Amino acid sequence: MSFIVGIDGPAGSGKGTVTKKVANELGLINIDTGATYRCVALEAINRNVNIDDKEKLIKIAKEIKIDINPTTEGDIIYLNGKDVTKEIRSKEVTKIVSPISSIKEVRYEMVNLQRKLAKGKNVIMEGRDICTYVFPNADVKIYLDASLEERAKRRYMENKEKNIDMTYEEVLENIAKRDENDKAKEMGALKIAEDSVIVDTTNLNIDEVVEKIINIIKEKNCNLNEK
Ligand code: DC
């Protein structure tokens, strides 16, 4: 039996930071599904594959080996045995990941992997289609949101800390484009599940969002003990 908390939301809504904290508080395994699509994008760059070459991208999704080691500091991501945790956040990967994640066959591979990673475990899984497609019967469903400007501001600050060189304008433009692309996908589009609880984080700090989410999980009568 596994216990699944699904968290969906657009880029910069705070999913990554918040799920890591909630996972640590409640002893859940944190799975960042965006990282799986980022691995496909990184491998495409490594193999010099053009983003219009659908067949080669599908081949990559089938061939690569992705491992996720969830730690209290966040997920460590391995691509074909190599730690790529930092590399998959690069500007180059971020620019091409959304169109790659729109390819249906790439999604089949990644969704299979995501379901396998959660099997038999108590997890908090973040992404775009977790509550609508990957785990439509998740025990708890949450949709995190925030204004575009606030999300761009957060991602810009985060990038600065990680020494990722992008201007605020570049980040804003990238997020707006990804929003548009992520919402328009034929499969796995970013949308709010009917039974998701919407949490608008625009005017909340991280601890406030974490508290809200823990309360939502507890309200669902889940027998999880806070650490
Ligand atoms: O959460 P992120 O920014 O690391 O996600 C990277 C890209 O992957 C994003 O543009 C949308 C896509 N993605 C997806 O299509 N489905 C998911 N479950 C998670 C991410």
Side-chain angles (χ1 to χ4, degrees), residues 3 5 14 56 123 130 144 155 162 177-179 193 199 205 209 223:
F3 173 79
V5 179
K56 285 207 179 128
V123 305
I130 308 307
L144 277 194
R155 191 47 63 89
K162 293 179 183 163
K177 256 196 202 143
R178 284 209 286 154
D179 277 1
V199 177
N205 66 35
V209 181
N223 300 321

Side-chain angles (χ1 to χ4, degrees), residues 15 33-34 37-38 89 97-98 101 107 127-130 155 178 182 185:
K15 297 188 304 289
T33 61
Y37 296 100
R38 285 176 179 271
R89 307 274 153 211
V97 63
S98 187
S101 72
R107 300 200 72 83
R128 305 290 192 287
D129 60 341
I130 308 307
R155 191 47 63 89
R178 284 209 286 154
D182 287 342
K185 274 176 203 159

Side-chain angles (χ1 to χ4, degrees), residues 142-191:
I142 293 166
Y143 186 91
L144 277 194
D145 211 350
S147 71
L148 173 64
E149 291 71 21
E150 176 62 23
R151 290 186 285 123
K153 194 175 96 193
R154 289 177 191 167
R155 191 47 63 89
Y156 171 69
M157 301 304 287
E158 218 176 282
N159 283 351
K160 246 182 151 178
E161 270 174 33
K162 293 179 183 163
N163 287 324
I164 297 169
D165 180 30
M166 277 172 96
T167 63
Y168 170 79
E169 287 71 26
E170 267 182 300
V171 175
L172 185 90
E173 194 194 330
N174 173 269
I175 289 188
K177 256 196 202 143
R178 284 209 286 154
D179 277 1
E180 202 183 315
N181 194 66
D182 287 342
K183 285 179 182 165
K185 274 176 203 159
E186 198 188 327
M187 180 190 167
L190 170 68
K191 58 177 179 236

